[in-house]
Amino acid sequence: RFVGLFAIFLILAPCGVVALAQQPPKVSRIGYLGLSFPSANVARIEALRQGLHDLGYVEGKNIVFEWRWAEGKPDRIPELAAELAKLKVDVIVTQGPALNRPAKEATSTIPIVMGFDSDPVGNGIVTSLARPGGNITGPVANLKLLDKRLQLLQEIDPKVQRILVLYDGRDRFSVGERALARQAAESLRLTLVERDAGTEADLRRVFAGLKAGEVD
């Protein structure tokens, strides 16, 4: 969270300097690109607002948000990213890996702060971690923590053997996480029950189709 907020601060800071010298102050626009629904991201949204407030940016005073939500429909993401680019917002913030490439493809000039990415080089987001270049920045997720999560689950309840793993077959991050889950499960002698669920409809289908005792 700190990395992302600091990146937004650096991008918007020049606007704040201008605001001190001019009346009325310049209002910066932050475009937010989300994959799901705002109702499912209340805590995330409030954390973003509070973090920016702590840095001196108040919604309605010197910043405004342009919210764009795909509502669980990945096919809408390129269109929504293009909308934000057309609006010429001052910065685009993405919710996660599935939105980073569409945002980058929508604009090469507007700064983009990604929620996170597991492999920004392999995903074609940046040239290299040392010299990323381009217009996108943000934190890199550590997939290696996945085995620790499974270990913790096993420690909480040693009787757990069959674990449901949900992944999005269209998302490279999710597919990579699935592969690491398999490796970790093998070493921990756990059985994975894998289900492809990239949308809300998929999730409903998966849970409706689970049989009693199929997973722990």
Side-chain angles (χ1 to χ4, degrees), residues 40-182:
N41 292 272
V42 174
R44 184 189 297 266
I45 293 171
E46 288 308 310
L48 177 61
R49 284 176 168 147
Q50 185 60 50
L52 287 170
H53 184 275
D54 294 345
L55 293 171
Y57 295 99
V58 181
E59 188 174 5
K61 183 179 179 181
N62 53 2
I63 59 168
V64 294
F65 285 98
E66 293 287 350
W67 304 99
R68 294 295 184 274
W69 299 94
E71 299 181 344
K73 302 174 182 176
D75 294 344
R76 296 190 59 203
I77 296 174
E79 173 190 350
L80 297 176
E83 283 185 20
L84 292 176
K86 189 174 181 180
L87 287 173
K88 297 182 179 180
V89 294
D90 293 285
V91 58
I92 294 176
V93 180
T94 69
Q95 184 181 6
L99 303 117
N100 297 336
R101 179 178 286 277
K104 182 176 175 62
E105 291 175 348
T107 176
S108 60
T109 56
I110 298 175
I112 299 168
V113 178
M114 58 185 180
F116 68 95
D117 201 290
S118 60
D119 184 11
V121 177
N123 292 335
I125 306 300
V126 299
T127 304
S128 71
L129 294 180
R131 298 181 181 276
N135 60 319
I136 189 167
T137 188
V140 177
N142 189 351
L143 281 176
K144 294 181 180 179
L145 293 177
L146 183 62
D147 59 343
K148 298 297 182 183
R149 291 163 56 191
L150 289 176
Q151 286 179 26
L152 284 173
L153 185 59
Q154 194 175 51
E155 290 175 12
I156 292 171
D157 187 352
K159 293 182 293 184
V160 167
Q161 290 296 320
R162 298 177 61 81
I163 299 176
L164 176 64
V165 174
L166 301 171
Y167 68 95
D168 183 352
R170 295 165 296 186
D171 179 65
R172 181 167 179 163
F173 173 85
S174 187
V175 171
E177 193 171 44
R178 175 193 180 193
L180 289 177
R182 289 175 174 175

Side-chain angles (χ1 to χ4, degrees), residues 193-205:
V193 178
E194 303 176 8
R195 295 290 186 272
D196 191 344
T199 66
E200 182 180 357
D202 290 338
L203 288 172
R204 294 181 183 277
R205 171 182 52 76

